[in-house]
Amino acid sequence: MELVAGCYEQVLFGFSVHPEPKASGSRQKWTPVADFTHHAHTASLSAVAANSRFVVTGSKDETIHIYDMKKKLDHGALVHHNGTITCLKFHGNRHLISGAEDGLICVWDAKKWECLKSIKAHKGHVTFLSIHPSGKLALSVGTDKTLRTWNLVEGRSAFIKNIKQNAHIVEWSPRGEKYVVVILNKIDVYHLDTAAVSGTITNEKRVSSITFLSESVLAVAGDEEVVRFFDIDSLTCLCEFKAHENRVKDLFSFEIPEHHVIVTASSDGFIKMWRLTQDKKIPPSLLCEVNTNARLTCLGVWLDSATDTKESLPPAAEPSAVSKEQPKGSKKESGDAVQEAARQSKPNTKKQGLIGVSEEPTKGSGLVAAKKRRVGEMLEKKRKKKKIRVMQ
């Protein structure tokens, strides 16, 4: 496995982690080893995501960079957005969804690296997005104070909910039966079948990152050194532990045989891996840590396809098919409206979920080779210098 983290200093770090053979009567030792640093972006990194082959990074330089983790090569860049890349999410190995400050959500073919669909999603910035485990729905939040549900089968908006403030995080639960929306230090818990808030969790500081540890347990990091585990059904804090010396910027969790792991990254420069116990009321124990000496901003974990990942959760809940759209003027915010995305999807069709979007690429939105991109950047800098001289 590989820990990947971006920072303000425009660098992507990669650390390979090797669990060493467990000696009898002692704890297994995990050792992170520096694998690579890559300086492809021209501004700070803002998002990172990984599938079984690639790691992608987004930046304030408005580009998405692709790294082939099998070959350890820069695979090029995607240049469709006009604004900071705010979120990147893979769905399987075939599709990538990106959101940015230009208000666009883009669906990318992760084989050919072509833009299949570009949606004007929000009037302001897209601040976060999350894909339903079924691949049929996505949720997004933006600076227009809306929570939007997207039908990924048809590539269109399914439902818009006005919220009182700008949310900055939205996340589906592992089975897709619930989702949470984060506004400052408040975490609203929704149920798919009602699309209504079932309860609210209040964190002590503004929430910076969340990750589900199970269908009902949520790990929460804020602008502080502490990480908390909350039960989203009872809305209670199960435990908290000091993870870093500075604020925690990002969280990631995964399961492999005999281990349930949560990874934390902080402004203090450290990436830490923690072993979770089955009882989430017990704080996790530290497996290993590494100091990047950088101000970290985003975190991901690349799990080699050879890694035996454990499916610990039941299959995702399928959004049920519903009847025709609600009549105009109806104020009913029901689960049917949220689940509308599945209305025309047929269980026997081959194209489901993200594959349902048009396979025709959007013009001018393909892969830019790394060498070609650098030449373009140099030419652009020369043009800017000439303009300055003319003005003088």
Side-chain angles (χ1 to χ4, degrees), residues 320-368:
S320 59
V322 297
S323 58
K324 298 289 182 181
E325 293 181 12
Q326 301 262 344
K328 287 183 180 179
S330 171
K331 294 183 180 180
K332 186 180 180 184
E333 295 180 358
S334 66
D336 288 352
V338 174
Q339 295 176 51
E340 183 193 351
R343 182 167 57 86
Q344 294 180 350
S345 64
K346 297 178 182 178
N348 294 326
T349 54
K350 289 182 181 179
K351 290 187 176 182
Q352 289 191 355
L354 286 167
I355 301 173
V357 300
S358 170
E359 295 297 324
E360 289 296 319
T362 303
K363 286 185 179 180
S365 301
L367 182 66
V368 177

Short mmCIF file of all heavy atoms in Angstrom, two decimals, residues 320-368:
data_model
loop_
_atom_site.label_atom_id
_atom_site.label_comp_id
_atom_site.label_asym_id
_atom_site.label_seq_id
_atom_site.Cartn_x
_atom_site.Cartn_y
_atom_site.Cartn_z
N SER A 320 -34.48 2.97 -4.54
CA SER A 320 -35.65 2.32 -5.15
C SER A 320 -36.25 3.19 -6.24
O SER A 320 -36.19 4.41 -6.21
CB SER A 320 -36.70 2.06 -4.07
OG SER A 320 -37.09 3.28 -3.46
N ALA A 321 -36.86 2.52 -7.24
CA ALA A 321 -37.50 3.23 -8.33
C ALA A 321 -38.74 3.94 -7.79
O ALA A 321 -39.42 3.47 -6.89
CB ALA A 321 -37.92 2.24 -9.42
N VAL A 322 -39.05 5.12 -8.35
CA VAL A 322 -40.19 5.90 -7.88
C VAL A 322 -41.06 6.29 -9.06
O VAL A 322 -40.69 6.12 -10.22
CB VAL A 322 -39.73 7.16 -7.11
CG1 VAL A 322 -38.98 6.78 -5.88
CG2 VAL A 322 -38.90 8.07 -7.99
N SER A 323 -42.21 6.88 -8.75
CA SER A 323 -43.14 7.27 -9.79
C SER A 323 -42.71 8.57 -10.45
O SER A 323 -41.62 9.06 -10.22
CB SER A 323 -44.53 7.43 -9.17
OG SER A 323 -44.47 8.39 -8.14
N LYS A 324 -43.58 9.14 -11.25
CA LYS A 324 -43.26 10.36 -11.99
C LYS A 324 -42.87 11.49 -11.05
O LYS A 324 -43.11 11.43 -9.86
CB LYS A 324 -44.48 10.79 -12.84
CG LYS A 324 -44.87 9.75 -13.89
CD LYS A 324 -43.85 9.67 -15.00
CE LYS A 324 -44.27 8.68 -16.07
NZ LYS A 324 -43.28 8.58 -17.14
N GLU A 325 -42.33 12.59 -11.66
CA GLU A 325 -41.84 13.70 -10.85
C GLU A 325 -42.96 14.34 -10.04
O GLU A 325 -44.13 14.29 -10.41
CB GLU A 325 -41.21 14.76 -11.77
CG GLU A 325 -39.94 14.26 -12.43
CD GLU A 325 -39.34 15.33 -13.31
OE1 GLU A 325 -39.79 16.48 -13.21
OE2 GLU A 325 -38.43 15.01 -14.08
N GLN A 326 -42.57 14.98 -8.95
CA GLN A 326 -43.54 15.65 -8.09
C GLN A 326 -44.20 16.79 -8.87
O GLN A 326 -43.55 17.45 -9.68
CB GLN A 326 -42.81 16.24 -6.87
CG GLN A 326 -42.08 15.20 -6.05
CD GLN A 326 -42.89 14.78 -4.85
OE1 GLN A 326 -43.83 15.44 -4.47
NE2 GLN A 326 -42.53 13.65 -4.26
N PRO A 327 -45.49 17.05 -8.65
CA PRO A 327 -46.15 18.17 -9.34
C PRO A 327 -45.55 19.50 -8.92
O PRO A 327 -45.03 19.64 -7.82
CB PRO A 327 -47.61 18.06 -8.86
CG PRO A 327 -47.56 17.27 -7.60
CD PRO A 327 -46.40 16.32 -7.76
N LYS A 328 -45.65 20.46 -9.83
CA LYS A 328 -45.09 21.79 -9.54
C LYS A 328 -45.78 22.40 -8.33
O LYS A 328 -46.98 22.26 -8.14
CB LYS A 328 -45.27 22.70 -10.76
CG LYS A 328 -44.34 22.34 -11.90
CD LYS A 328 -44.50 23.32 -13.04
CE LYS A 328 -43.57 22.97 -14.19
NZ LYS A 328 -43.72 23.89 -15.32
N GLY A 329 -44.98 23.11 -7.54
CA GLY A 329 -45.52 23.77 -6.36
C GLY A 329 -45.53 22.89 -5.12
O GLY A 329 -45.79 23.37 -4.04
N SER A 330 -45.20 21.61 -5.30
CA SER A 330 -45.16 20.71 -4.15
C SER A 330 -43.94 21.01 -3.31
O SER A 330 -42.83 21.08 -3.82
CB SER A 330 -45.14 19.26 -4.61
OG SER A 330 -44.90 18.41 -3.53
N LYS A 331 -44.12 21.19 -2.01
CA LYS A 331 -43.01 21.47 -1.11
C LYS A 331 -42.53 20.22 -0.40
O LYS A 331 -41.68 20.29 0.46
CB LYS A 331 -43.43 22.53 -0.08
CG LYS A 331 -43.71 23.89 -0.71
CD LYS A 331 -44.05 24.89 0.36
CE LYS A 331 -44.33 26.25 -0.24
NZ LYS A 331 -44.67 27.26 0.78
N LYS A 332 -43.08 19.08 -0.79
CA LYS A 332 -42.74 17.83 -0.11
C LYS A 332 -41.32 17.41 -0.44
O LYS A 332 -40.99 17.16 -1.59
CB LYS A 332 -43.73 16.75 -0.55
CG LYS A 332 -43.57 15.44 0.22
CD LYS A 332 -44.58 14.44 -0.28
CE LYS A 332 -44.44 13.13 0.46
NZ LYS A 332 -45.35 12.10 -0.06
N GLU A 333 -40.45 17.35 0.57
CA GLU A 333 -39.06 16.93 0.38
C GLU A 333 -38.95 15.47 0.82
O GLU A 333 -38.41 15.14 1.86
CB GLU A 333 -38.13 17.82 1.19
CG GLU A 333 -38.13 19.25 0.69
CD GLU A 333 -37.20 20.12 1.49
OE1 GLU A 333 -36.59 19.62 2.45
OE2 GLU A 333 -37.07 21.29 1.16
N SER A 334 -39.48 14.58 0.01
CA SER A 334 -39.54 13.16 0.39
C SER A 334 -38.35 12.39 -0.11
O SER A 334 -37.60 12.86 -0.97
CB SER A 334 -40.82 12.55 -0.17
OG SER A 334 -40.75 12.52 -1.58
N GLY A 335 -38.20 11.17 0.41
CA GLY A 335 -37.14 10.29 -0.08
C GLY A 335 -37.35 9.93 -1.52
O GLY A 335 -36.41 9.67 -2.26
N ASP A 336 -38.63 9.93 -1.97
CA ASP A 336 -38.91 9.64 -3.38
C ASP A 336 -38.23 10.63 -4.30
O ASP A 336 -37.70 10.27 -5.36
CB ASP A 336 -40.42 9.68 -3.64
CG ASP A 336 -41.15 8.49 -3.04
OD1 ASP A 336 -40.44 7.58 -2.56
OD2 ASP A 336 -42.39 8.47 -3.03
N ALA A 337 -38.22 11.91 -3.91
CA ALA A 337 -37.59 12.93 -4.74
C ALA A 337 -36.09 12.70 -4.83
O ALA A 337 -35.49 12.83 -5.90
CB ALA A 337 -37.88 14.31 -4.18
N VAL A 338 -35.47 12.33 -3.72
CA VAL A 338 -34.03 12.07 -3.73
C VAL A 338 -33.73 10.82 -4.55
O VAL A 338 -32.73 10.73 -5.25
CB VAL A 338 -33.50 11.91 -2.29
CG1 VAL A 338 -32.05 11.50 -2.29
CG2 VAL A 338 -33.68 13.21 -1.53
N GLN A 339 -34.61 9.82 -4.47
CA GLN A 339 -34.37 8.56 -5.16
C GLN A 339 -34.82 8.59 -6.61
O GLN A 339 -34.75 7.58 -7.31
CB GLN A 339 -35.11 7.43 -4.42
CG GLN A 339 -34.58 7.20 -3.02
CD GLN A 339 -35.38 6.15 -2.30
OE1 GLN A 339 -35.60 5.07 -2.82
NE2 GLN A 339 -35.83 6.47 -1.10
N GLU A 340 -35.27 9.75 -7.09
CA GLU A 340 -35.77 9.86 -8.46
C GLU A 340 -34.75 9.43 -9.50
O GLU A 340 -35.10 9.01 -10.60
CB GLU A 340 -36.18 11.32 -8.71
CG GLU A 340 -36.79 11.55 -10.08
CD GLU A 340 -36.88 13.02 -10.39
OE1 GLU A 340 -36.64 13.84 -9.50
OE2 GLU A 340 -37.17 13.34 -11.54
N ALA A 341 -33.47 9.52 -9.16
CA ALA A 341 -32.41 9.17 -10.11
C ALA A 341 -32.53 7.75 -10.61
O ALA A 341 -32.04 7.43 -11.70
CB ALA A 341 -31.05 9.38 -9.47
N ALA A 342 -33.14 6.88 -9.84
CA ALA A 342 -33.26 5.47 -10.26
C ALA A 342 -34.54 5.21 -11.05
O ALA A 342 -34.81 4.09 -11.43
CB ALA A 342 -33.23 4.57 -9.04
N ARG A 343 -35.33 6.25 -11.31
CA ARG A 343 -36.66 6.10 -11.88
C ARG A 343 -36.67 5.34 -13.20
O ARG A 343 -37.54 4.51 -13.45
CB ARG A 343 -37.29 7.49 -12.08
CG ARG A 343 -38.71 7.46 -12.63
CD ARG A 343 -39.34 8.84 -12.48
NE ARG A 343 -38.56 9.87 -13.12
CZ ARG A 343 -38.68 10.19 -14.41
NH1 ARG A 343 -39.52 9.56 -15.18
NH2 ARG A 343 -37.94 11.15 -14.91
N GLN A 344 -35.73 5.65 -14.09
CA GLN A 344 -35.75 5.02 -15.40
C GLN A 344 -34.67 3.97 -15.59
O GLN A 344 -34.47 3.47 -16.68
CB GLN A 344 -35.60 6.10 -16.49
CG GLN A 344 -36.80 7.04 -16.54
CD GLN A 344 -36.64 8.09 -17.61
OE1 GLN A 344 -35.56 8.23 -18.19
NE2 GLN A 344 -37.69 8.84 -17.90
N SER A 345 -33.95 3.66 -14.52
CA SER A 345 -32.89 2.66 -14.65
C SER A 345 -33.50 1.27 -14.63
O SER A 345 -34.35 0.96 -13.80
CB SER A 345 -31.87 2.80 -13.51
OG SER A 345 -32.49 2.54 -12.29
N LYS A 346 -33.07 0.41 -15.55
CA LYS A 346 -33.60 -0.95 -15.64
C LYS A 346 -32.55 -1.93 -15.12
O LYS A 346 -31.40 -1.86 -15.51
CB LYS A 346 -33.95 -1.28 -17.09
CG LYS A 346 -35.05 -0.39 -17.65
CD LYS A 346 -35.31 -0.72 -19.10
CE LYS A 346 -36.38 0.21 -19.68
NZ LYS A 346 -36.61 -0.07 -21.10
N PRO A 347 -32.93 -2.86 -14.28
CA PRO A 347 -31.96 -3.76 -13.67
C PRO A 347 -31.23 -4.66 -14.66
O PRO A 347 -30.14 -5.11 -14.39
CB PRO A 347 -32.81 -4.60 -12.70
CG PRO A 347 -34.22 -4.44 -13.17
CD PRO A 347 -34.29 -3.09 -13.79
N ASN A 348 -31.81 -4.91 -15.83
CA ASN A 348 -31.17 -5.82 -16.78
C ASN A 348 -30.28 -5.12 -17.80
O ASN A 348 -29.62 -5.77 -18.60
CB ASN A 348 -32.24 -6.64 -17.53
CG ASN A 348 -32.99 -7.55 -16.58
OD1 ASN A 348 -32.41 -8.05 -15.62
ND2 ASN A 348 -34.27 -7.76 -16.83
N THR A 349 -30.32 -3.78 -17.83
CA THR A 349 -29.49 -3.08 -18.80
C THR A 349 -28.03 -3.16 -18.40
O THR A 349 -27.69 -3.14 -17.23
CB THR A 349 -29.90 -1.60 -18.92
OG1 THR A 349 -29.87 -1.02 -17.62
CG2 THR A 349 -31.29 -1.47 -19.52
N LYS A 350 -27.16 -3.20 -19.39
CA LYS A 350 -25.73 -3.31 -19.13
C LYS A 350 -25.16 -2.01 -18.61
O LYS A 350 -24.27 -1.99 -17.79
CB LYS A 350 -24.99 -3.73 -20.40
CG LYS A 350 -25.27 -5.18 -20.79
CD LYS A 350 -24.47 -5.55 -22.02
CE LYS A 350 -24.74 -6.99 -22.43
NZ LYS A 350 -24.00 -7.36 -23.64
N LYS A 351 -25.69 -0.89 -19.13
CA LYS A 351 -25.16 0.41 -18.73
C LYS A 351 -25.89 0.91 -17.51
O LYS A 351 -27.03 1.32 -17.58
CB LYS A 351 -25.28 1.42 -19.87
CG LYS A 351 -24.35 1.12 -21.03
CD LYS A 351 -24.40 2.23 -22.05
CE LYS A 351 -23.41 2.01 -23.18
NZ LYS A 351 -23.41 3.10 -24.14
N GLN A 352 -25.24 0.86 -16.36
CA GLN A 352 -25.83 1.34 -15.12
C GLN A 352 -24.88 2.32 -14.46
O GLN A 352 -23.69 2.32 -14.69
CB GLN A 352 -26.10 0.17 -14.18
CG GLN A 352 -27.25 -0.71 -14.65
CD GLN A 352 -27.66 -1.69 -13.57
OE1 GLN A 352 -27.03 -1.76 -12.53
NE2 GLN A 352 -28.72 -2.42 -13.83
N GLY A 353 -25.47 3.15 -13.59
CA GLY A 353 -24.64 4.10 -12.86
C GLY A 353 -23.92 5.05 -13.78
O GLY A 353 -24.48 5.55 -14.74
N LEU A 354 -22.66 5.29 -13.49
CA LEU A 354 -21.87 6.26 -14.25
C LEU A 354 -21.72 5.87 -15.71
O LEU A 354 -21.50 6.71 -16.56
CB LEU A 354 -20.49 6.40 -13.62
CG LEU A 354 -20.45 7.18 -12.32
CD1 LEU A 354 -19.12 6.99 -11.64
CD2 LEU A 354 -20.70 8.64 -12.56
N ILE A 355 -21.82 4.59 -16.03
CA ILE A 355 -21.66 4.15 -17.42
C ILE A 355 -22.80 4.65 -18.27
O ILE A 355 -22.73 4.70 -19.48
CB ILE A 355 -21.55 2.60 -17.49
CG1 ILE A 355 -20.35 2.16 -16.65
CG2 ILE A 355 -21.39 2.10 -18.90
CD1 ILE A 355 -20.22 0.67 -16.49
N GLY A 356 -23.89 5.07 -17.62
CA GLY A 356 -25.04 5.57 -18.35
C GLY A 356 -24.83 6.91 -19.01
O GLY A 356 -25.61 7.32 -19.85
N VAL A 357 -23.76 7.66 -18.65
CA VAL A 357 -23.53 8.95 -19.28
C VAL A 357 -22.98 8.73 -20.68
O VAL A 357 -22.47 7.68 -21.01
CB VAL A 357 -22.55 9.83 -18.47
CG1 VAL A 357 -23.09 10.09 -17.09
CG2 VAL A 357 -21.17 9.22 -18.40
N SER A 358 -23.12 9.75 -21.51
CA SER A 358 -22.66 9.64 -22.90
C SER A 358 -21.19 9.31 -22.98
O SER A 358 -20.37 9.86 -22.26
CB SER A 358 -22.92 10.98 -23.62
OG SER A 358 -22.29 11.00 -24.87
N GLU A 359 -20.86 8.37 -23.85
CA GLU A 359 -19.46 7.99 -24.02
C GLU A 359 -18.73 8.90 -25.00
O GLU A 359 -17.57 8.70 -25.31
CB GLU A 359 -19.36 6.53 -24.50
CG GLU A 359 -19.87 5.51 -23.48
CD GLU A 359 -19.07 5.50 -22.20
OE1 GLU A 359 -17.85 5.67 -22.25
OE2 GLU A 359 -19.68 5.32 -21.12
N GLU A 360 -19.44 9.93 -25.54
CA GLU A 360 -18.80 10.88 -26.44
C GLU A 360 -18.05 11.92 -25.63
O GLU A 360 -18.65 12.59 -24.79
CB GLU A 360 -19.85 11.56 -27.33
CG GLU A 360 -20.47 10.65 -28.37
CD GLU A 360 -19.45 10.17 -29.39
OE1 GLU A 360 -18.61 10.98 -29.82
OE2 GLU A 360 -19.48 8.99 -29.75
N PRO A 361 -16.75 12.09 -25.85
CA PRO A 361 -15.99 13.06 -25.05
C PRO A 361 -16.37 14.49 -25.35
O PRO A 361 -16.78 14.81 -26.47
CB PRO A 361 -14.54 12.77 -25.46
CG PRO A 361 -14.63 12.18 -26.83
CD PRO A 361 -15.91 11.39 -26.84
N THR A 362 -16.26 15.35 -24.33
CA THR A 362 -16.46 16.78 -24.52
C THR A 362 -15.25 17.35 -25.24
O THR A 362 -14.11 17.03 -24.93
CB THR A 362 -16.59 17.47 -23.14
OG1 THR A 362 -17.68 16.85 -22.44
CG2 THR A 362 -16.88 18.95 -23.30
N LYS A 363 -15.49 18.21 -26.22
CA LYS A 363 -14.38 18.76 -27.02
C LYS A 363 -13.40 19.53 -26.16
O LYS A 363 -13.77 20.28 -25.28
CB LYS A 363 -14.94 19.68 -28.12
CG LYS A 363 -15.60 18.92 -29.26
CD LYS A 363 -16.00 19.86 -30.37
CE LYS A 363 -16.64 19.11 -31.53
NZ LYS A 363 -17.04 20.02 -32.61
N GLY A 364 -12.14 19.34 -26.46
CA GLY A 364 -11.07 20.08 -25.78
C GLY A 364 -10.87 19.71 -24.34
O GLY A 364 -10.35 20.49 -23.55
N SER A 365 -11.28 18.50 -23.96
CA SER A 365 -11.20 18.12 -22.55
C SER A 365 -10.52 16.78 -22.35
O SER A 365 -10.94 15.99 -21.53
CB SER A 365 -12.62 18.08 -21.97
OG SER A 365 -13.22 19.33 -22.10
N GLY A 366 -9.51 16.51 -23.13
CA GLY A 366 -8.82 15.24 -23.00
C GLY A 366 -7.55 15.35 -22.18
O GLY A 366 -7.30 16.33 -21.48
N LEU A 367 -6.72 14.33 -22.29
CA LEU A 367 -5.48 14.23 -21.53
C LEU A 367 -4.40 15.08 -22.17
O LEU A 367 -4.19 15.02 -23.38
CB LEU A 367 -5.05 12.77 -21.48
CG LEU A 367 -3.80 12.43 -20.69
CD1 LEU A 367 -4.03 12.69 -19.22
CD2 LEU A 367 -3.43 10.97 -20.91
N VAL A 368 -3.72 15.87 -21.36
CA VAL A 368 -2.58 16.65 -21.84
C VAL A 368 -1.31 15.99 -21.32
O VAL A 368 -1.14 15.84 -20.11
CB VAL A 368 -2.66 18.12 -21.34
CG1 VAL A 368 -1.44 18.90 -21.78
CG2 VAL A 368 -3.93 18.77 -21.85
#
